[in-house]
Amino acid sequence: MTPPISRYPVPELKDLPEDIRARILEVQDKAGFVPNVFLALAHRPAEWRAFFAYHDALMLKDSGSLTKGDREMIVTATSAANHCLYCVVAHGAILRIYEKKPLVADQVAVNHRKADITPRQRAMLDFALKVCLRSHEVDDADFAALHAHGFSDEDIWDIAAITAFFGLSNRMANVTGMRPNDEFYLMGRVPKPPKDAPARQA
């Protein structure tokens, strides 16, 4: 028997407010399934709206020098530090897809200093993990180190805000016992063959 996706009641899609249902159906159409976070947090619709509004402001923005892969890398590394299974599995899957690197999510989650990433990304994660675990120690030297890798002050705000936002997400996922979708575990691990590749013969 499959365990429940949350310790709290999970509403039926048909019973959700129209705006939330429409967003979830849009995600389902794009991904092929509904990530459990969308259903689990819908237990409180007003908070769901606030959560995903801030999520989108941080993760979908086009300004700044952080790529979508960089943003998912921050989430994966800091979620691992917070022992959040849901976010490591879900965002690790997205990270593998964006970076086109089947190994990167596991590497970053376990030890980003040994991961196959750029020195710039390593500096980014050094700072993100400091914000995650020791934000009271952040000082001007941290900004200078990131400036040396081409990050602006606004980029540094983004790194900190993503880390802080997912600190909230990690804790709610842990408290609710949010279960990652099985689909996430395999996403991005095996490269897809080119569309024009010949069909394999039996």
Side-chain angles (χ1 to χ4, degrees), residues 108-154:
V108 164
V110 174
N111 186 347
H112 75 280
R113 293 176 181 272
K114 294 185 177 181
D116 297 326
I117 58 178
T118 67
R120 180 179 182 277
Q121 289 172 325
R122 193 166 293 113
M124 175 186 75
L125 295 184
D126 283 343
F127 178 70
L129 285 165
K130 187 170 185 178
V131 173
C132 178
L133 301 172
R134 308 186 317 280
S135 62
H136 60 287
E137 295 180 8
V138 171
D139 58 22
D140 290 345
D142 296 300
F143 277 68
L146 289 169
H147 291 159
H149 285 277
F151 291 104
S152 69
D153 285 350
E154 296 304 316

Side-chain angles (χ1 to χ4, degrees), residues 40-186:
L41 294 186
H43 174 66
R44 292 193 173 188
E47 293 172 34
W48 188 101
R49 293 184 182 100
F51 179 93
F52 282 104
Y54 196 23
H55 171 279
D56 293 352
L58 292 173
M59 302 301 286
L60 303 183
K61 66 186 294 185
D62 292 326
S63 59
S65 69
L66 297 183
T67 66
K68 289 182 178 179
D70 289 338
R71 294 171 195 275
E72 296 297 340
M73 197 174 290
I74 293 166
V75 179
T76 303
T78 59
S79 296
N82 288 326
H83 307 288
C84 179
L85 177 65
Y86 185 93
C87 291
V88 170
V89 172
H91 290 274
I94 302 169
L95 171 60
R96 289 191 296 271
I97 291 169
Y98 281 150
E99 292 291 293
K100 297 180 174 60
K101 294 181 178 179
L103 308 182
V104 69
D106 297 322
Q107 293 174 340
V108 164
V110 174
N111 186 347
H112 75 280
R113 293 176 181 272
K114 294 185 177 181
D116 297 326
I117 58 178
T118 67
R120 180 179 182 277
Q121 289 172 325
R122 193 166 293 113
M124 175 186 75
L125 295 184
D126 283 343
F127 178 70
L129 285 165
K130 187 170 185 178
V131 173
C132 178
L133 301 172
R134 308 186 317 280
S135 62
H136 60 287
E137 295 180 8
V138 171
D139 58 22
D140 290 345
D142 296 300
F143 277 68
L146 289 169
H147 291 159
H149 285 277
F151 291 104
S152 69
D153 285 350
E154 296 304 316
D155 294 329
I156 296 170
W157 179 297
D158 284 343
I159 296 167
I162 291 166
T163 299
F165 173 77
F166 278 93
L168 179 155
S169 180
N170 297 158
R171 286 159 176 80
M172 291 307 298
N174 283 337
V175 169
T176 60
M178 198 181 297
R179 176 182 169 83
N181 301 67
D182 292 349
E183 290 91 340
F184 282 128
Y185 286 92
L186 297 180

